[in-house]
Amino acid sequence: MLDEEIFQQSTMGDPHLGRLVVDAFLKTTPQLLADFEAAEARGNDAEARRAIHSLKGSSMTLGIHPLSRACRILEETFDNGTRRQADTLHEVRELFDRARVLLRERFDLDA
């Protein structure tokens, strides 16, 4: 799930920086998902797209390709004028949950 080469490039191979980046990712992603859902519920497509775009970028930077791809699919629903499918958001949430477990274990972070 984690592309080690991309992760090492993004953190310049610095374990301390890697831990800080992962910690920030784990802390900000739940809010990005909440922001996405709230914006979509209000019909604010631009804000919803911005939130999922941010998550796509951060997961890509960390080398979490499955999550990044799922976010891209969700983002494209705004680009082509279709509405998201509930199963796509569900997949994004599941992939984040898997990434969260993996990253917490790898970096020995508290739940």
Side-chain angles (χ1 to χ4, degrees):
M1 171 169 251
L2 179 67
D3 184 323
E4 188 63 36
E5 185 176 339
I6 296 294
F7 182 80
Q8 291 300 321
Q9 288 174 358
S10 295
T11 60
M12 298 175 285
D14 181 337
H16 179 70
L17 178 59
R19 187 180 176 95
L20 290 174
V21 170
V22 165
D23 190 50
F25 174 76
L26 294 176
K27 288 179 179 173
T28 60
T29 297
Q31 187 59 54
L32 285 172
L33 290 169
D35 291 349
F36 172 82
E37 288 183 315
E40 192 179 48
R42 291 191 310 276
N44 188 334
D45 289 354
E47 192 175 312
R49 187 187 182 287
R50 207 170 12 258
I52 210 67
H53 179 80
S54 293
L55 180 53
K56 178 186 79 173
S58 60
S59 58
M60 187 182 310
T61 298
L62 287 175
I64 308 171
H65 299 306
L67 180 56
S68 179
R69 279 191 294 272
C71 289
R72 185 193 72 226
I73 291 166
L74 196 52
E75 182 180 33
E76 287 172 354
T77 66
F78 292 96
D79 293 342
N80 64 24
T82 61
R83 298 299 289 180
R84 73 159 172 98
Q85 298 294 318
D87 57 336
T88 306
L89 180 58
H90 181 73
E91 180 182 5
V92 167
R93 287 190 171 284
E94 282 186 353
L95 289 166
F96 171 64
D97 288 342
R98 287 178 44 208
R100 178 177 24 208
V101 169
L102 178 131
L103 293 168
R104 282 183 176 156
E105 288 175 0
R106 173 158 179 209
F107 291 92
D108 195 28
L109 298 170
D110 294 331

